[in-house]
Amino acid sequence: MSPTSSNEDPRGSTARRKPGRTGHTGRSPLVRFLVRRVLTALLLAVGITLVTFVLTNLVPGDPVSANLGQRALGDPAIVAQWRAEHGLDKPLPQQYLLHLQGVVQGDLGTSQQSHRPVLDDLAEAVPATLELAGVAILISLVTGVAFGVIAALRRDRLSDHLLRVLSLVGISVPTFWLALTAFYVFFYRLQITPGSGRLDPSMSAPPQVTGLYTVDSALAGQWDVFASALGHLLTPALVLALYTIGLLTRFTRSAVLEVLGQDYVRAARAKGLPPRVILFRYVLRSALVPVITVAGLAFGSLLSGTVLVEAIFAWPGIGQYAYKSATTLDLPAVMGVGLVVGGVYLVINLIVDVLYGVIDPRVRLS
């Protein structure tokens, strides 16, 4: 036996050079998984700018007529000047390239209704909607997942039937009707909840840090403002959360029941593992993968579908801003709202993909 052969790996020289789990790039599968998702999100972001631009320009109506009075419309010079100021005199491909350049530079144009930069308007409206939708999805996740697990563990019992009926009611009741009813009953009739808006009229907004009144008031130590902001927030958040609670309850129940029938769960029971360990270590870990998808889409829907709730509760969020922009054909503002909503869905999908990779190793290894 030669000296060299005694030190060789029995699998040969190629086996010694074979990369490990991190691959030839030295990155772990999770890192490569995240890089692919981020690159995909960037490509989709460019597509969102194109889709929002095309759809906004296909909306019937003339923004010139919507923003100029009748006397101004009769003067061709004023009309031409207005179109030139807003870039509407250029061909559509050139308008899109200018729009894309502005998006990259952080310039979404000037709103035709407020005469302010669209980015400034969105900076005031988006935090209000984020606060409302964030609290709603938090309530939905905690309540919906808990209800779904209870219904699955007590299948075909009275509590299961009651929770299924409640979830069906939550899915079936129109959100705008529920908002009107809640506002009329709890504020107008019983007077146990605050009125519309984000704060009591006698209070000023806290020093802005995040734009979320509950967070900013807590950071500033203004606990009276915090109590007022939380009181104004709970009713519309609960109204928004009811549909998502029903959806998550039904979906979680189905996912947990499917996992409970798997062989590895029966094997864990046969080994004598405590029910709590089986539930949290085996059942919920597998059942949460599809539930995360529903929760992510639900949060995107909450964030982009708060128009009627914000109108009823006079909540100065992106829903009201989008409605006013659409009625006045404020094209830069409409495109700005479209970009924000599309960006929210991209971020949510990216977070969902990351959670997939963390919870289920098979996703990142594939």
Side-chain angles (χ1 to χ4, degrees):
M1 181 179 296
S2 63
T4 56
S5 62
S6 62
N7 295 327
E8 280 189 356
D9 190 289
R11 294 171 294 179
S13 59
T14 57
R16 289 175 297 170
R17 293 192 299 267
K18 186 177 179 179
R21 289 177 61 85
T22 58
H24 65 280
T25 59
R27 293 194 298 260
S28 68
L30 182 58
V31 173
R32 296 200 303 271
F33 174 80
L34 295 179
V35 169
R36 290 196 301 268
R37 291 297 185 267
V38 171
L39 293 178
T40 303
L42 292 176
L43 292 176
L44 290 174
V46 177
I48 287 174
T49 62
L50 179 60
V51 170
T52 55
F53 178 83
V54 172
L55 292 180
T56 302
N57 283 273
L58 288 177
V59 173
D62 185 9
V64 179
S65 302
N67 288 273
L68 292 181
Q70 292 297 324
R71 297 183 62 181
L73 285 174
D75 191 336
I78 295 178
V79 173
Q81 181 183 0
W82 193 92
R83 295 180 65 87
E85 288 178 355
H86 295 87
L88 299 179
D89 58 336
K90 298 179 176 61
L92 280 179
Q94 188 175 355
Q95 290 184 38
Y96 171 69
L97 291 178
L98 292 174
H99 171 65
L100 184 60
Q101 180 181 357
V103 170
V104 173
Q105 296 175 351
D107 180 14
L108 301 182
T110 302
S111 171
Q112 298 162 7
Q113 56 176 327
S114 65
H115 305 291
R116 300 173 55 201
V118 173
L119 200 61
D120 292 347
D121 289 343
L122 291 175
E124 295 179 358
V126 170
T129 302
L130 275 177
E131 187 174 35
L132 179 59
V135 173
I137 196 63
L138 182 62
I139 296 173
S140 303
L141 280 172
V142 174
T143 309
V145 173
F147 283 176
V149 172
I150 294 172
L153 295 178
R154 303 182 63 85
R155 182 180 183 181
D156 294 332
R157 298 182 184 178
L158 178 61
S159 55
D160 178 29
H161 295 307
L162 289 177
L163 289 174
R164 290 168 66 183
V165 170
L166 289 176
S167 65
L168 182 61
V169 171
I171 294 175
S172 304
V173 174
T175 303
F176 74 90
W177 179 86
L178 184 63
L180 284 171
T181 303
F183 188 81
Y184 175 77
V185 172
F186 296 111
F187 169 68
Y188 182 74
R189 298 294 298 181
L190 301 179
Q191 297 183 355
I192 59 176
T193 60
S196 56
R198 300 181 70 184
L199 286 175
D200 293 336
S202 59
M203 292 186 175
S204 301
Q208 184 171 358
V209 178
T210 63
L212 313 178
Y213 281 6
T214 51
V215 176
D216 291 347
S217 58
L219 292 176
Q222 300 176 350
W223 300 111
D224 55 339
V225 178
F226 174 82
S228 175
L230 186 62
H232 282 78
L233 179 62
L234 283 180
T235 304
L238 287 171
V239 168
L240 278 176
L242 185 62
Y243 172 83
T244 312
I245 289 173
L247 184 66
L248 287 176
T249 299
R250 299 176 69 86
F251 208 89
T252 303
R253 179 184 181 274
S254 300
V256 171
L257 285 176
E258 183 179 355
V259 175
L260 287 174
Q262 298 296 321
D263 292 338
Y264 62 87
V265 176
R266 289 195 290 265
R269 287 173 176 168
K271 291 180 180 179
L273 292 178
R276 181 176 299 180
V277 174
I278 296 175
L279 176 63
F280 288 99
R281 184 175 298 179
Y282 295 96
V283 177
L284 280 183
R285 186 180 179 93
S286 299
L288 280 180
V289 174
V291 171
I292 287 173
T293 303
V294 177
L297 294 176
F299 181 72
S301 300
L302 287 177
L303 198 61
S304 58
T306 59
V307 178
L308 294 175
V309 174
E310 288 186 358
I312 292 170
F313 288 94
W315 195 266
I318 196 172
Q320 283 207 64
Y321 184 72
Y323 172 75
K324 294 176 182 178
S325 303
T327 53
T328 59
L329 286 180
D330 189 349
L331 298 186
V334 172
M335 287 189 288
V337 171
L339 288 176
V340 169
V341 174
V344 166
Y345 274 100
L346 281 181
V347 172
I348 290 173
N349 285 331
L350 181 60
I351 293 174
V352 168
D353 288 339
V354 172
L355 292 177
Y356 274 175
V358 171
I359 293 176
D360 192 350
R362 295 172 298 179
V363 174
R364 59 178 181 262
L365 291 177
S366 63

